[in-house]
Amino acid sequence: MFKVFKKLNKPLKYITLNQVVQNIPTSRGLGSSASCIVCGIMIANDVLNNILSKEEVFQLASEIEGHPDNVAPLIFGGFTCSFKDDKFYKVALNINENYKFMVCIPPFELSTSMARSVLPKEISIKDAVFNISHCVTMIKALESGDFELLKQGKKDLIHQPYGYPSTKASKKAIEFAE
């Protein structure tokens, strides 16, 4: 909230909030920090009579969070891909209505920085090409509803080999999903 008031050069207004429901577990990779950031920006924006557009909220939230991964779907809804270049970008993707999603919440906490620390600093071109092609395949499978194509698209050589073997819960979740 403070960053919004400062960015817009508006006098700071203090308000009292009552938390009704908070059901996003922290330190589980589900966007609890992004939710807090977006909520703070949206509250400040509401207090200032919605002076910021959704795009401006997105840019500021992504800047505060450091990446747009979780703030994009929070602000725009749906399934989004996002990235940073000269600014933050998001791309809305269509998901076939036949898919149903489930969230597996691990029984332990793991910070984003710790989870990312096990990833390699460099990867081979071969692994990068593999992941890019499978990512495109997954997006097409999610859009078309082609479950067999989705099985191929879910293959990964960058994240799963490094991060998932570190926990038994990850192995069980992957086995269950297959």
Side-chain angles (χ1 to χ4, degrees):
M1 286 181 60
F2 298 130
K3 288 196 182 244
V4 172
F5 286 101
K6 184 177 180 180
K7 179 180 180 80
L8 298 174
N9 200 25
K10 299 287 185 182
L12 188 59
K13 295 181 182 182
Y14 290 92
I15 61 173
T16 301
L17 300 173
N18 292 320
Q19 180 179 337
V20 178
V21 175
Q22 193 293 70
N23 57 3
I24 303 173
T26 59
S27 299
R28 304 290 192 355
L30 297 172
S32 60
S33 63
S35 297
C36 291
I37 290 166
V38 170
C39 185
I41 293 170
M42 298 295 281
I43 290 168
N45 196 35
D46 187 60
V47 168
L48 295 169
N49 297 313
N50 296 307
I51 196 168
L52 297 173
S53 68
K54 271 189 171 184
E55 181 63 28
E56 290 170 318
V57 169
F58 170 64
Q59 293 300 319
L60 183 56
S62 298
E63 181 184 312
I64 294 168
E65 177 76 349
H67 57 81
D69 304 3
N70 292 326
V71 300
L74 283 165
I75 295 166
F76 299 102
F79 181 44
T80 63
C81 287
S82 54
F83 61 94
K84 180 181 180 183
D85 197 353
D86 57 323
K87 66 176 192 170
F88 295 98
Y89 292 87
K90 81 324 191 166
V91 178
L93 302 167
N94 296 317
I95 301 293
N96 187 283
E97 64 186 33
N98 293 324
Y99 284 117
K100 304 294 179 232
F101 293 88
M102 175 176 57
V103 176
C104 297
I105 301 171
F108 56 87
E109 292 186 3
L110 181 63
S111 70
T112 301
S113 59
M114 180 63 87
R116 289 182 179 171
S117 72
V118 299
L119 298 176
K121 301 293 181 234
E122 296 180 4
I123 58 170
S124 70
I125 290 176
K126 178 182 173 188
D127 288 354
V129 169
F130 180 94
N131 265 45
I132 291 168
S133 62
H134 283 76
C135 180
V136 171
T137 300
M138 178 179 280
I139 290 169
K140 187 61 178 175
L142 289 169
E143 180 183 76
S144 68
D146 186 335
F147 190 71
E148 291 304 313
L149 193 59
L150 183 64
K151 287 181 184 178
Q152 293 303 312
K154 73 175 182 58
K155 294 178 182 177
D156 170 69
L157 295 179
I158 297 174
H159 299 89
Q160 289 180 5
Y162 302 97
Y164 291 149
S166 62
T167 67
K168 289 181 183 178
S170 295
K171 289 179 187 176
K172 287 182 181 180
I174 290 170
E175 289 169 5
F176 177 78
E178 292 178 340

